[in-house]
């Protein structure tokens, strides 16, 4: 992906955003690597866990990985009918609760596998009888060591503080895992690398769109279904790179009060999946247009044409459950370009560290 840097050089004499831009550009090759080198191992792990017939799934994560966990929740509940919950780690790490997790699958997702609360809660879950699976970018991590099973997402070293390629790598790995649980081969994902490459090649288009939001004081991002994790991840990327307060809502929740803050000044980004989630979001889009919202749509051409601005997603024929891996790409690019336009360095957001050691 090409980039035109408008903010000069940072204090290290480098172009701002050089690392984040490079890591975003790696994503098509990384997706191919997972499909070529990782898929078979993921299927083996899935087959072993499926044989143990977990009755329930708990997902544990923080930050960007928490949004990947939410994606897995949709996959597991829709594709397998398995009830899922997002774990509250403090019940174990701070309060010392000891739930009975017999026959429960606990999936912990972490880029580094180094956060103490993730390690401690996974260790406690295993001691409580859970089947534990770590999904990380570091097979030598403490989290991988305390888990019974491990999936390496094969993203390669990620140096920029905003996570980009590890997010899409987590999504694809989790998709392949869920497909493995149901006896599938995940072959529908084969189209992703080429489509991702096409999206990332549209940098000039996103750069032009980003100029609309250079001076935004806040943003609202909304979606439904499989697109909701994308909305949450896009909001996180915008906040941690450009420092714009970005509020993410399920479209259903947006109508239950937050819609009142929407006006024709604060931009609204809608992630419209081509499928049931997009259909469920339609009444929300109608209400937003009725309020004169500055609406930016990532999704099908018809929805983009009816909005103030947007990015047409080349997802025709792509199953709805795989579209989030593509949807986030233009929004990563948008966060990057808005940050550059505001004269900031997306590689090094203030007050953040690559490994966040929560306890």
């Amino acid at each position: 992906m090409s980039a035109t840097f408008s903010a000069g050089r940072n204090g290290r004499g480098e172009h701002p955003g050089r690392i984040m831009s490079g890591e975003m550009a790696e994503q098509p090759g990384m997706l191919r690597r997972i499909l070529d080198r990782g898929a078979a191992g993921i299927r083996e792990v899935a087959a072993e866990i499926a044989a143990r017939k977990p009755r329930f799934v708990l997902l544990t994560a923080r930050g960007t990985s928490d949004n990947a966990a939410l994606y897995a929740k949709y996959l597991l509940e829709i594709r397998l009918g398995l009830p899922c919950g997002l774990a509250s780690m403090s019940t174990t790490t701070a309060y010392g609760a000891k739930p009975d997790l017999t026959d429960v699958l606990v999936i912990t997702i972490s880029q580094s596998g180094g956060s103490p609360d993730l390690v401690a809660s996974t260790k406690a879950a295993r001691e409580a009888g859970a089947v534990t699976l770590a999904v990380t970018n570091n097979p030598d991590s403490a989290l991988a060591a305390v888990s019974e099973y491990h999936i390496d997402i094969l993203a390669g070293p990620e140096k920029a503080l905003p996570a980009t390629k590890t997010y899409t790598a987590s999504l694809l790995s989790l998709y392949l895992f869920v497909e493995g649980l149901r006896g599938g081969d995940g072959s529908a994902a084969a189209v992703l690398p080429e489509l991702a490459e096409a999206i990332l090649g549209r940098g000039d288009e996103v750069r032009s769109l980003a100029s609309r939001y250079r001076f935004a004081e806040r943003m609202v991002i909304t979606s439904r279904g499989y697109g909701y994790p994308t909305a949450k991840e896009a909001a996180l990327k915008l906040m941690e790179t450009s420092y714009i307060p970005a509020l993410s809502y399920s479209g259903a929740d947006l109508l239950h009060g937050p819609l009142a803050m929407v006006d024709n000044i604060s931009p609204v980004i809608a992630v419209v999946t081509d499928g049931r989630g997009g259909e469920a979001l339609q009444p929300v889009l109608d209400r937003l247009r009725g309020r004169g919202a500055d609406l930016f749509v990532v999704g099908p051409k018809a929805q983009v044409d009816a909005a103030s601005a947007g990015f047409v997603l080349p997802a025709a024929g792509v199953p709805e459950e795989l579209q989030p891996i593509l949807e986030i790409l233009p929004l990563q690019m948008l966060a990057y370009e808005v940050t550059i336009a505001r004269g900031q360095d997306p590689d090094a957001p203030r007050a953040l560290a690559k490994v966040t050691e929560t306890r």
Side-chain angles (χ1 to χ4, degrees), residues 12-354:
R12 301 184 300 277
E14 300 165 344
H15 291 299
R18 175 184 61 86
I19 303 173
M20 181 180 177
S21 176
E23 290 175 350
M24 286 193 292
E26 291 178 29
Q27 291 176 103
M30 177 209 68
L31 295 172
R32 288 189 184 96
R33 182 165 62 248
I34 294 169
L35 292 170
D36 293 343
R37 290 173 37 197
I42 293 172
R43 282 197 297 271
E44 290 177 7
V45 170
E48 288 191 32
I49 291 176
R52 298 175 67 170
K53 298 182 179 179
R55 60 184 174 87
F56 188 84
V57 181
L58 278 177
L59 294 146
T60 306
R62 296 284 192 201
T64 285
S65 295
D66 203 28
N67 299 326
L70 181 58
Y71 169 72
K73 185 176 189 293
Y74 276 92
L75 282 175
L76 288 158
E77 290 185 343
I78 296 170
R79 305 285 285 171
L80 293 179
L82 267 177
C84 299
L86 299 176
S88 300
M89 282 173 278
S90 62
T91 60
T92 299
T93 59
Y95 292 93
K98 297 184 182 299
D100 179 4
L101 298 179
T102 305
D103 298 328
V104 172
L105 172 60
V106 172
I107 304 174
T108 306
I109 305 164
S110 171
Q111 300 155 42
S112 69
S115 186
D117 59 347
L118 293 169
V119 175
S121 63
T122 300
K123 185 174 182 291
R126 189 170 180 180
E127 292 171 350
V131 178
T132 53
L133 168 65
V135 179
T136 82
N137 197 37
N138 184 1
D140 298 321
S141 63
L143 179 59
V146 300
S147 300
E148 187 175 357
Y149 298 97
H150 177 256
I151 289 174
D152 184 353
I153 64 173
L154 299 175
E158 188 173 60
K159 296 180 180 179
L161 287 175
T164 54
K165 64 178 183 174
T166 52
Y167 179 69
T168 49
S170 296
L171 296 196
L172 179 54
S173 298
L174 289 162
Y175 168 80
L176 292 172
F177 172 69
V178 173
E179 285 302 289
L181 288 178
R182 62 195 295 269
D185 61 5
S187 59
V191 300
L192 294 177
E194 183 177 351
L195 291 174
E197 195 163 23
I199 291 170
L200 291 169
R202 293 162 63 185
D204 289 343
E205 182 181 338
V206 176
R207 192 172 304 115
S208 176
L209 290 166
S211 64
R212 296 169 59 96
Y213 308 118
R214 178 178 180 180
F215 300 108
E217 295 184 0
R218 71 165 185 254
M219 290 186 178
V220 173
I221 308 179
T222 188
S223 189
R224 291 203 68 180
Y226 284 112
Y228 181 40
T230 307
K232 291 177 69 66
E233 175 61 11
L236 177 59
K237 284 292 142 310
L238 282 161
M239 288 189 287
E240 68 183 354
T241 56
S242 69
Y243 317 142
I244 297 173
L247 308 174
S248 59
Y249 295 100
S250 158
D253 288 332
L254 185 64
L255 297 182
H256 282 266
L259 183 68
M261 70 178 172
V262 173
D263 53 30
N264 61 355
I265 298 174
S266 299
V268 178
I269 298 175
V271 180
V272 186
T273 55
D274 187 6
R276 294 188 183 184
E279 293 169 6
L281 190 65
Q282 190 58 52
V284 182
L285 298 174
D286 293 340
R287 292 284 297 276
L288 289 169
R289 293 185 187 106
R291 292 187 60 83
D294 179 0
L295 182 62
F296 176 105
V297 166
V298 174
K301 186 177 187 303
Q303 295 292 349
V304 171
D305 288 346
S308 308
F311 187 99
V312 177
L313 199 71
V318 178
E320 184 178 0
E321 60 270 15
L322 280 172
Q323 291 177 38
I325 299 171
L326 301 175
E327 288 166 348
I328 192 58
L329 299 178
L331 294 168
Q332 290 174 347
M333 296 160 71
L334 181 68
Y336 168 86
E337 293 292 353
V338 169
T339 304
I340 293 294
R342 289 164 70 95
Q344 295 151 199
D345 186 354
D347 285 344
R350 64 194 181 205
L352 295 181
K354 191 60 179 171

